[in-house]
Amino acid sequence: MLVLSVIIIYFVVLLIVGSMTKGKADNQSFYRGERRSSWQLVAFGMIGASVSGVTFVSVPGMVMHADMTYLQMCMGFILGYFLVAFILLPVYYRLNLTTIYSYLDTRFGRRSRLTGAWFFLLSKIASTAVKFYIACFIVYSVVSSFAPSAFMSRFGFVVVAVAMVVLVWLYSRQGGIRTLVWTDTVQTTCMLAALVLIIVSVVGELGMSFGEAMTAVAGDSHSRVFVFDDWMSRQNFWKQFVSGAFVVVVMTGLDQDMMQKNLTCKSLREAQKDMCTYGFAFLPANALFLVLGVLLLMLAQKQGIAMPAKGDELLPMFAATGRLGQLPMALFLLGIIAASFSSADSALTALTTSYCVDVKGKTDDERLRRRTHIVMAVVLVVAMIIFHAVNSTSVIDAIYIMVSYTYGPLLGLFAYGLFTRRAVCDRCVPCIAIASPLLCYAVDSVSASAFGYKFGYELLLLNGTLTFVGLLLTSRISRN
């Protein structure tokens, strides 16, 4: 009963905050928050927006197979946030952009803007549906355990998925990005509080003081952070650090979803302070997740519990089986829901914004914006129902792989626009953006079979480079 009470109270709080912060509820408020957001609120809320429910589950389990080497990538994130703050944000503010893909229209032409927008739309719909599906499935599993029935077994997931998307739509439909700055603050608070309280609970189960627990974590073999000696390893420091920087540049700086809140700050200087602040905050936040993972491994060893086959199952195993008690289970669900909602609501708003502004070219049409917001919510529900019906992790893995390929062309397009003064053949841009990921896939396949080398995050750099070269070659066509 405690678990359901926590979920219901959380949902009510979001609706209240959404109602109180909707402002004028016009397009200016929905898309840009009237450029009045406090940078401190945006920075704090962006921590939750950048951490999905998948992260909440997966990062603690990373210590099983990769120790705490993920922190190397988090260090690269800091560099990436500085690059976004001092290279991309000045461009976006100077051009007074509502969507970042409008830059591509200014620099290259209409087809380039549509290419960037459609790559974003398809990638964001797929990735958001997968992330939110996992959160919906966890909530559905808990609700089913309290009220098992034939109806819940057959239709329960659909009911939960529709209910959760409707809730996101309800509190974001009027205020849009203005509301999300506030709801993200609530959700980040809930997520971090849940994480800290779960750690406190695990430390208590271990029979340690907090200081003793931190000493034990520091001395544990899974606390290894740096890998400098193995260049073939995906955990090599320089691979992780450089990849982390470029992952942030692409998946934050070139992603309308992640940039829309940052563009609501009152000035460029405040937006830069916001970006750098939450960039630094990512390191300790992820360190807490990894510390929790090490503590859970210690607890499993102490209680003689067999380790799960996958790291993603480590935290859910303790939460779902009630080994930590009902309160930690409620906190686990609260953390999952808070992280997932913070990602889904901003994605829904960004999808609506990009479609209306970039694809349709209608900034002031409120009727189109309201209809699009509903359609995007329906699309997310349908995608989640399909994932549930297929019930195959291979399909979800394929979606993630597809998304990782689609960000490369955006990197190439923006890099070419920012660091060269050459024109491009605008009509060739869609073909280049499609060909680059396909060529990357071929290179990765040949490399794996011929040399035994499987590309990791560095594939993003290859993808962007191929797009850049393709655009460079078309510059001659544009001159003729």
Side-chain angles (χ1 to χ4, degrees):
M1 197 64 186
L2 175 63
V3 174
L4 292 178
S5 298
V6 168
I7 294 174
I8 291 170
I9 291 171
Y10 177 72
F11 288 168
V12 171
V13 169
L14 287 183
L15 289 175
I16 292 172
V17 173
S19 177
M20 293 174 61
T21 59
K22 64 183 180 181
K24 296 179 181 178
D26 58 9
N27 279 14
Q28 180 71 4
S29 175
F30 189 95
Y31 294 149
R32 300 170 54 148
E34 300 172 353
R35 285 268 169 95
R36 295 180 180 176
S37 298
S38 163
W39 72 265
Q40 294 93 337
L41 277 180
V42 176
F44 185 71
M46 283 300 296
I47 298 172
S50 302
V51 176
S52 69
V54 177
T55 304
F56 200 94
V57 172
S58 297
V59 173
M62 285 182 177
V63 298
M64 285 180 58
H65 306 295
D67 301 329
M68 297 178 73
T69 57
Y70 181 60
L71 288 179
Q72 297 176 126
M73 179 167 278
C74 295
M75 295 173 192
F77 289 168
I78 296 174
L79 173 60
Y81 283 116
F82 271 79
L83 293 175
V84 173
F86 295 101
I87 294 178
L88 293 175
L89 276 177
V91 175
Y92 299 156
Y93 268 83
R94 175 169 53 82
L95 296 175
N96 195 28
L97 300 180
T98 298
T99 73
I100 62 175
Y101 308 113
S102 300
Y103 165 76
L104 298 177
D105 194 339
T106 303
R107 180 66 174 81
F108 301 130
R110 178 176 174 273
R111 287 187 176 89
S112 297
R113 184 194 77 221
L114 289 173
T115 299
W118 277 113
F119 265 73
F120 163 73
L121 288 169
L122 295 175
S123 302
K124 188 56 64 173
I125 287 171
S127 62
T128 302
V130 171
K131 293 173 183 177
F132 209 49
Y133 162 75
I134 294 172
C136 289
F137 187 80
I138 291 174
V139 173
Y140 158 67
S141 300
V142 172
V143 173
S144 297
S145 67
F146 284 104
S149 66
F151 175 82
M152 286 300 297
S153 177
R154 188 170 183 179
F155 302 108
F157 177 80
V158 175
V159 173
V160 170
V162 171
M164 290 181 69
V165 172
V166 166
L167 180 66
V168 171
W169 174 79
L170 279 173
Y171 72 74
S172 64
R173 68 190 177 94
Q174 292 183 309
I177 204 69
R178 178 189 175 97
T179 293
L180 300 190
V181 170
W182 289 95
T183 55
D184 278 359
T185 300
V186 173
Q187 290 170 155
T188 299
T189 301
C190 291
M191 183 198 72
L192 293 177
L195 175 60
V196 170
L197 291 173
I198 290 173
I199 290 175
V200 170
S201 178
V202 174
V203 170
E205 289 292 318
L206 286 168
M208 299 179 179
S209 67
F210 189 75
E212 290 171 339
M214 293 304 100
T215 301
V217 168
D220 193 276
S221 61
H222 289 289
S223 66
R224 179 187 62 147
V225 174
F226 298 104
V227 177
F228 289 105
D229 54 344
D230 185 1
W231 281 96
M232 295 297 289
S233 171
R234 289 189 178 185
Q235 278 72 52
N236 178 270
F237 173 81
W238 293 109
K239 285 185 181 180
Q240 293 270 302
F241 183 82
V242 174
S243 296
F246 277 94
V247 164
V248 165
V249 169
V250 174
M251 296 189 175
T252 296
L254 306 183
D255 187 300
Q256 174 65 22
D257 176 17
M258 299 304 296
M259 291 307 298
Q260 195 160 350
K261 294 190 196 74
N262 295 282
L263 294 177
T264 67
C265 292
K266 299 172 186 176
S267 66
L268 170 61
R269 183 172 179 79
E270 291 205 355
Q272 289 173 325
K273 288 192 288 187
D274 143 49
M275 183 71 63
C276 295
T277 300
Y278 85 79
F280 276 113
F282 243 76
L283 190 62
N286 281 285
L288 281 177
F289 279 112
L290 294 168
V291 165
L292 174 59
V294 175
L295 291 172
L296 288 173
L297 291 180
M298 292 179 184
L299 184 59
Q301 185 177 14
K302 178 182 177 181
Q303 296 181 349
I305 301 171
M307 288 293 98
K310 298 180 179 179
D312 291 356
E313 299 171 358
L314 181 62
L315 179 54
M317 177 185 73
F318 280 94
T321 56
R323 288 187 173 94
L324 300 177
Q326 195 174 21
L327 179 59
M329 181 178 180
L331 293 171
F332 169 70
L333 276 175
L334 178 62
I336 290 286
I337 293 171
S340 299
F341 269 52
S342 191
S343 298
D345 56 20
S346 60
L348 187 59
T349 301
L351 289 167
T352 301
T353 303
S354 186
Y355 181 80
C356 293
V357 177
D358 291 319
V359 177
K360 302 300 289 186
K362 297 180 179 180
T363 306
D364 300 321
D365 192 333
E366 292 191 20
R367 187 179 181 186
L368 173 66
R369 185 256 295 172
R370 288 192 292 268
R371 287 183 172 181
T372 302
H373 198 228
I374 294 173
V375 170
M376 292 300 177
V378 172
V379 169
L380 289 180
V381 171
V382 171
M384 288 191 292
I385 292 172
I386 292 173
F387 293 150
H388 185 66
V390 173
N391 195 25
S392 172
T393 56
S394 61
V395 173
I396 295 176
D397 289 342
I399 292 292
Y400 275 129
I401 292 171
M402 182 273 288
V403 169
S404 69
Y405 276 101
T406 55
Y407 279 99
L410 291 176
L411 175 61
L413 276 166
F414 277 84
Y416 188 90
L418 292 169
F419 299 118
T420 76
R421 295 184 178 181
R422 294 172 177 265
V424 298
C425 174
D426 187 42
R427 67 178 182 273
C428 298
V429 169
C431 298
I432 295 170
I434 293 171
S436 295
L438 294 176
L439 186 56
C440 275
Y441 179 78
V443 170
D444 189 32
S445 300
V446 170
S447 173
S449 60
F451 308 108
Y453 182 81
K454 188 73 175 173
F455 279 86
Y457 291 109
E458 63 269 27
L459 193 63
L460 178 66
L461 302 180
L462 175 62
N463 199 343
T465 301
L466 291 173
T467 302
F468 189 99
V469 171
L471 295 171
L472 190 62
L473 293 175
T474 68
S475 64
R476 296 187 176 185
I477 299 175
S478 66
R479 291 201 299 265
N480 294 334

